[in-house]
Amino acid sequence: MNGLYLSRHELSAIKAIDTHEVERRVSQALDEGPSVLFGLNLSNAGSHITDHMHRYEQDLAKYAKAKASTKRSETRGRAWSSGHDLIYSIRDMKQRVEEQEKEMQLLRIDDLIRPPSRFQDRVEVRIHYQWRTAVEVDWEFRAITFYHDVDMRPDYTQPQPTRKPSAAKLEEQRQDTLYRHWDHLRVLALHSVREFFKAGGDGSTIPEKFEAKPGRTDRYLNNFSCNFWGESGPIRKSEPVRLAILKVGGLSDDCSSDGRFTLQSRVKHAKFGEGIVIHIEADKITADFGERGPKRVMSSFLEPLG
């Protein structure tokens, strides 16, 4: 289940990476093969790095198999590009480690939230957090509960089954639907609390409960649904909650090169499911896919939602 922070194992693994050694071996692998990558110990550094490593190894294998000169030139260029993507991903994650350690000196949010064993139409997420104004000041502890009444009316825009499912199957589908709504609420709630503090909000003013509601013309929660600070306060309601604070790719573009996606927009991927855009670099989109974590994909593989 994806949270706000890197785990202790990921932090240790990322800190232990020698970026210069990785750069040397990535360049060397183009001529000597993927065997020179053994021993880099990237497997525990999180999916953002390991996904790039896997892609680089695949591109190296295609380059090694290529025979024709044009094919070798094409596959070498692709391998060179994915190798540099691997290097950039390591740099980005090292920057994220620094930012996380700095943030956690003043703010800590419990992002390990387990779903209930059974869902009701009202889904709830309780966020525990602690904060202080300076390192020498004692921590203050509080929590906020976000709740949302899920609209469970049938969606007739989707294909309907030819046969009526059994009662047990209907309940299973109902629980799956409620889980997806709960998980979406969890992601929005975590980021709203974090952004509130990052914008200078006072933790003592956060309410104990807040009802997350969809927009007037939609039945699903959007990126403003968990803005518990309302019209006034340290964050204006018109400002979007910047999910790009995850810093998975340096400074993010505001919009993809094809104009289809912006930060925080909801997207769908054939393999990873529904997610929220957290970083944009031209036509490369990084989205948070909940349990599957952040994934970087080409914009052409995504569909906009809502």
Side-chain angles (χ1 to χ4, degrees):
M1 185 179 297
N2 183 59
L4 292 175
Y5 303 121
L6 298 167
S7 69
R8 285 182 296 175
H9 295 298
E10 290 172 329
L11 286 171
S12 298
I14 294 169
K15 286 171 128 181
I17 296 174
D18 184 338
T19 307
H20 296 297
E21 178 65 11
V22 173
E23 292 175 354
R24 186 184 71 81
R25 294 206 199 182
V26 163
S27 177
Q28 189 179 357
L30 280 172
D31 297 317
E32 300 182 24
S35 61
V36 301
L37 301 175
F38 296 155
L40 288 177
N41 299 321
L42 304 181
S43 59
N44 295 322
S47 61
H48 185 58
I49 291 176
T50 55
D51 286 351
H52 282 290
M53 180 68 166
H54 182 59
R55 177 187 165 195
Y56 184 47
E57 290 173 334
Q58 287 182 321
D59 287 343
L60 284 174
K62 292 177 182 178
Y63 172 54
K65 291 180 180 179
K67 302 299 182 183
S69 58
T70 54
K71 190 66 175 179
R72 286 188 61 80
S73 176
E74 176 189 336
T75 53
R76 182 182 177 89
R78 190 175 298 128
W80 183 92
S81 178
S82 58
H84 280 72
D85 283 344
L86 171 61
I87 295 170
Y88 294 146
S89 72
I90 292 172
R91 291 176 180 171
D92 292 338
M93 295 309 291
K94 281 186 173 289
Q95 180 183 356
R96 181 177 171 185
V97 168
E98 293 178 4
E99 292 171 351
Q100 176 172 317
E101 291 182 333
K102 181 179 179 181
E103 175 185 323
M104 295 189 77
Q105 294 180 24
L106 302 177
L107 171 65
R108 296 175 184 176
I109 301 171
D110 184 3
D111 61 345
L112 300 179
I113 305 172
R114 298 189 179 279
S117 58
R118 192 169 188 81
F119 292 98
Q120 303 297 327
D121 287 1
R122 171 168 289 190
V123 292
E124 293 187 357
V125 173
R126 187 165 178 81
I127 309 293
H128 294 267
Y129 56 92
Q130 59 187 90
W131 84 99
R132 56 186 177 183
T133 56
V135 175
E136 62 274 11
V137 177
D138 291 336
W139 289 99
E140 296 188 58
F141 300 81
R142 290 192 65 178
I144 175 175
T145 299
F146 293 84
Y147 64 95
H148 169 54
D149 292 317
V150 180
D151 185 350
M152 293 299 293
R153 291 175 298 174
D155 185 357
Y156 293 107
T157 63
Q158 300 298 320
Q160 300 300 305
T162 55
R163 293 184 178 181
K164 184 178 180 180
S166 66
K169 185 64 176 178
L170 287 172
E171 180 58 22
E172 179 185 344
Q173 293 173 350
R174 176 175 172 275
Q175 289 296 312
D176 288 343
T177 299
L178 289 171
Y179 170 78
R180 289 194 297 271
H181 283 276
W182 175 88
D183 195 49
H184 188 205
L185 176 64
R186 177 188 66 85
V187 173
L188 293 175
L190 283 170
H191 287 291
S192 71
V193 173
R194 190 186 200 190
E195 180 64 13
F196 179 81
F197 280 104
K198 280 184 166 288
D202 181 358
S204 63
T205 66
I206 297 179
E208 293 184 1
K209 283 192 172 185
F210 181 77
E211 182 180 4
K213 297 181 179 180
R216 294 180 180 179
T217 60
D218 197 0
R219 61 190 295 181
Y220 304 109
L221 298 179
N222 57 47
N223 295 315
F224 305 99
S225 296
C226 288
N227 289 12
F228 53 83
W229 47 85
E231 297 290 346
S232 60
I235 308 176
R236 296 193 307 272
K237 192 171 182 180
S238 59
E239 290 184 338
V241 176
R242 292 268 178 186
L243 298 186
I245 53 179
L246 289 180
K247 294 290 185 184
V248 292
L251 188 61
S252 172
D253 299 333
D254 290 328
C255 180
S256 60
S257 56
D258 58 11
R260 300 169 64 224
F261 305 102
T262 58
L263 285 174
Q264 308 166 70
S265 59
R266 293 173 59 238
V267 295
K268 185 175 182 180
H269 187 274
K271 179 179 179 182
F272 305 131
E274 295 185 11
I276 298 176
V277 176
I278 58 176
H279 188 270
I280 300 173
E281 182 184 349
D283 60 348
K284 297 178 180 178
I285 308 295
T286 303
D288 183 352
F289 291 99
E291 278 191 313
R292 294 181 177 269
K295 305 291 182 183
R296 190 184 190 198
V297 298
M298 302 297 291
S299 63
S300 57
F301 290 97
L302 294 172
E303 297 178 18
L305 295 176

